[in-house]
Amino acid sequence: MNKQKGIRRLLIANRGEIAVRIIRTCREMGIETTAVYSTVDRDCLHVKLADRAVCIGPAPSAQSYLNSNNIIMAALRTGCEAIHPGVGFLSENPGFARQVTEQGLIFIGPSAETIELLGDKVAARNTAKRFGLPVTPGSGGPVEGIAAARKAVAPLGFPVIIKAAAGGGGKGMRIVRSPETLEENLALASREALANFANGTVFIERYLENPRHVELQILADGRGSVAILGERDCSIQKNHQKLIEESPSPGVRGDMREKMIRGAAELFRELKYRGAGTIEFLVEGDAFYFMEVNTRIQVEHPVTEAVTGADIVREQLLCCTEGRMEIGPGTAEIRGWAMECRINALSPGRITRLEIPGGPGVRFDSFLYTGCKVPPNYDSMTGKLIVHGGTREGAIARMDRALSELTIEGIRTNQAQQRWIIRDPLFRSGSFGTSYYGEIAGEAERAEAERAEAEHAEAEHAP
Ligand code: MV4
């Protein structure tokens, strides 16, 4: 008899919508799942959907979803062969990946060494450069002390941005607009980096005022085969929290895409990368610059699933447990246009009513059910509304329609703001950058606040 390929049982080291997402694919693949949960998450959907569930600690993440010892113990005790880290929490922690492997378990992700290399933004930048990817003009290496900083900014001019080498995702960055404020910002950035990442190393780049955030979705089998599943535009964000993502990007032209893909494919092939990964770029007009690589699946992966037809979680599992992918290597064919609105809780509470949109080209990935609790302890995202259409205009009309069908009662959400953005002429024009929210859609926030206020007053005055 043939040796059984793949794994039989997987532990999901996460909660919420992404844990539910992973369980769904596992069920289709015949893989049994172990969920983990904190004491406030006992009644969560991921716990109900999994085959087994283990409590790993109290509400604070540091004692539960970041408690690697308890998580690995739960995996071993329930007979799991692999651990999927999901997003956030331990998903990009090389120490966790190493610990998992040392216990004889498979980590669903690249090797600890790859996570380590790409987690160092200075090293990642230099690696990308070697593969012909353009990087933002900058110091090129760590900057130590004000003399080195002055020397680094001389050829750049102002504004510049100081970034933490161990950072990413916007944490510990400081924009410097004049030479007079360089010294204080350098000290602040370094101190912040040390406090947040236990590493005070910083580097400096020329600051782009309103770039687009564009990222390529990659899958790789760990043996040199690499698939590129198009790009996503994630420019619509607020305080580094993404709000709307779409694929393709309205800002990527034909030859820019090819250049991005060529460099990215070579980088991932050379690293013998394994699993799902994302390579982020800043785009300004016809120019693009490498930013960083994320070594995990991302929240916004469903827009890529819509335009490629791939199941990215399934591909991750195949890559990491069998060394193969189902999608062919090279550039995937892209069909139509997809868009995702993140539905965030503005307050915790219990869901008293839930109506989920349907119809053609609509998907709602969420951990909500009527009666469930949204605890205050974790990320505010409760779900994602994803639509797929033939064109960008078609996707926008579909999103507007789907948002109008979505009803969530018992908590306040950002649904009204999302509707406002989807209907905004600037959003519809497609010509926005990462400052979109701060400059324009702050309006939506104010409008929503006023509306909620009026509703509240009305309720109070009701007989
Ligand atoms: C930048 C930048 C402008 N110029 N680097 C933010 C997250 C991190 N991945 C990199 N980030 C930025 N780096 C240079 N040289 C602007 C940002 C940035 C940003 C990037 C993507 C999405 C949203 C953003 C919001 C503010 C700033």
Side-chain angles (χ1 to χ4, degrees):
M1 207 170 89
N2 282 343
K3 186 173 171 287
Q4 183 78 34
K5 279 283 224 164
I7 53 163
R8 289 191 349 264
R9 205 172 284 171
L10 174 81
L11 179 136
I12 297 137
N14 218 294
R15 67 180 302 281
E17 154 301 297
I18 195 70
V20 170
R21 167 71 190 87
I22 296 161
I23 293 167
R24 284 176 169 152
T25 282
C26 286
R27 175 111 332 139
E28 292 176 14
M29 294 174 78
I31 298 171
E32 291 180 22
T33 51
T34 296
V36 295
Y37 61 95
S38 72
T39 50
V40 291
D41 277 351
R42 204 173 288 278
D43 296 323
C44 272
L45 188 57
H46 74 287
V47 174
K48 294 181 190 300
L49 290 181
D51 297 296
R52 292 170 183 77
V54 179
C55 183
I56 49 164
S61 311
Q63 295 168 63
S64 50
Y65 298 105
L66 291 172
N67 187 333
S68 55
N69 291 334
N70 285 5
I71 291 167
I72 290 171
M73 186 74 77
L76 294 171
R77 285 209 182 142
T78 57
C80 291
E81 299 147 87
I83 297 184
H84 195 308
V87 306
F89 295 128
L90 295 164
S91 62
E92 295 190 279
N93 184 321
F96 180 64
R98 195 164 284 130
Q99 201 184 341
V100 169
T101 312
E102 280 168 4
Q103 291 303 313
L105 301 167
I106 298 169
F107 178 77
I108 305 300
S111 69
E113 292 68 38
T114 300
I115 300 173
E116 213 150 46
L117 168 75
L118 296 171
D120 176 342
K121 305 307 161 194
V122 172
R125 193 177 187 277
N126 290 328
T127 307
K129 222 169 145 180
R130 275 203 292 126
F131 291 100
L133 287 169
V135 297
T136 322
S139 60
V143 171
E144 240 181 294
I146 184 62
R150 296 231 182 275
K151 206 165 159 190
V153 301
L156 303 177
F158 285 86
V160 296
I161 182 165
I162 309 175
K163 298 182 175 182
K171 248 199 179 166
M173 303 189 328
R174 301 208 75 95
I175 299 159
V176 187
R177 298 198 172 272
S178 70
E180 297 78 53
T181 55
L182 184 62
E183 189 160 14
E184 59 182 278
N185 275 298
L186 184 69
L188 280 168
S190 185
R191 184 138 32 88
E192 245 175 72
L194 189 61
N196 280 298
F197 314 112
N199 175 355
T201 309
V202 297
F203 63 107
I204 302 182
E205 290 179 348
R206 173 181 295 154
Y207 179 67
L208 312 176
E209 291 284 355
N210 188 21
R212 305 186 79 100
H213 172 137
V214 174
E215 57 188 31
L216 290 176
Q217 175 66 57
I218 319 278
L219 282 168
D221 68 1
R223 303 189 296 177
S225 263
V226 177
I228 315 284
L229 288 77
E231 79 274 6
R232 293 184 289 257
D233 193 303
C234 309
S235 302
I236 306 291
Q237 55 82 40
K238 177 190 175 189
N239 307 326
H240 300 293
Q241 296 284 94
K242 293 169 187 169
L243 285 174
I244 300 178
E245 303 97 341
E246 59 183 299
S247 182
S249 164
V252 175
R253 304 199 341 260
D255 74 319
M256 184 189 291
R257 183 175 289 118
E258 273 162 39
K259 283 185 198 157
M260 280 178 174
I261 288 176
R262 196 174 317 130
E266 267 170 48
L267 173 67
F268 279 73
R269 186 178 310 122
E270 197 65 22
L271 292 175
K272 290 245 171 35
Y273 192 91
R274 182 175 65 223
T278 301
I279 180 162
E280 293 184 3
F281 300 95
L282 294 180
V283 172
E284 193 176 60
D286 290 337
F288 71 93
Y289 307 98
F290 168 87
M291 267 303 106
E292 53 189 74
V293 175
N294 299 312
T295 56
R296 55 168 198 280
I297 193 168
Q298 290 195 273
V299 167
E300 58 271 27
H301 75 275
V303 298
T304 299
E305 294 188 322
V307 295
T308 60
D311 176 338
I312 294 174
V313 173
R314 179 183 176 92
E315 297 284 10
Q316 273 189 300
L317 291 168
L318 292 175
C319 286
C320 299
T321 68
E322 299 185 38
R324 68 183 180 98
M325 317 184 273
E326 263 170 14
I327 193 163
T331 307
E333 194 186 318
I334 303 301
R335 263 196 55 243
W337 207 287
M339 214 167 259
E340 169 178 285
C341 281
R342 298 190 184 196
I343 307 300
N344 296 333
L346 304 179
S347 60
R350 187 178 292 278
I351 302 301
T352 53
R353 181 183 161 98
L354 179 65
E355 283 170 26
I356 294 170
V362 176
R363 165 176 173 183
F364 186 58
D365 275 23
S366 171
F367 68 92
L368 299 182
Y369 62 87
T370 305
C372 86
K373 264 191 331 201
V374 177
N377 314 74
Y378 310 106
D379 189 284
S380 69
M381 197 183 73
T382 64
K384 311 173 307 201
L385 184 54
I386 305 109
V387 300
H388 185 209
T391 60
R392 187 165 192 270
E393 293 66 38
I396 287 174
R398 191 157 272 169
M399 182 62 86
D400 192 29
R401 185 270 290 174
L403 279 168
S404 79
E405 288 180 21
L406 176 65
T407 302
I408 301 171
E409 287 177 10
I411 59 167
R412 293 198 308 116
T413 77
N414 66 340
Q415 208 181 320
Q417 287 101 309
Q418 291 289 31
R419 194 97 190 277
W420 190 95
I421 297 171
I422 290 299
R423 292 173 159 218
D424 175 35
L426 177 55
F427 176 76
R428 291 192 169 208
S429 78
S431 56
F432 47 80
T434 50
S435 356
Y436 172 87
Y437 197 91
E439 283 173 10
I440 292 105
E443 290 289 337
E445 186 101 306
R446 283 192 287 277
E448 164 60 13
E450 278 167 30
R451 195 204 56 77
E453 189 63 35
E455 195 173 85
H456 184 72
E458 209 169 283
E460 275 184 342
H461 294 118

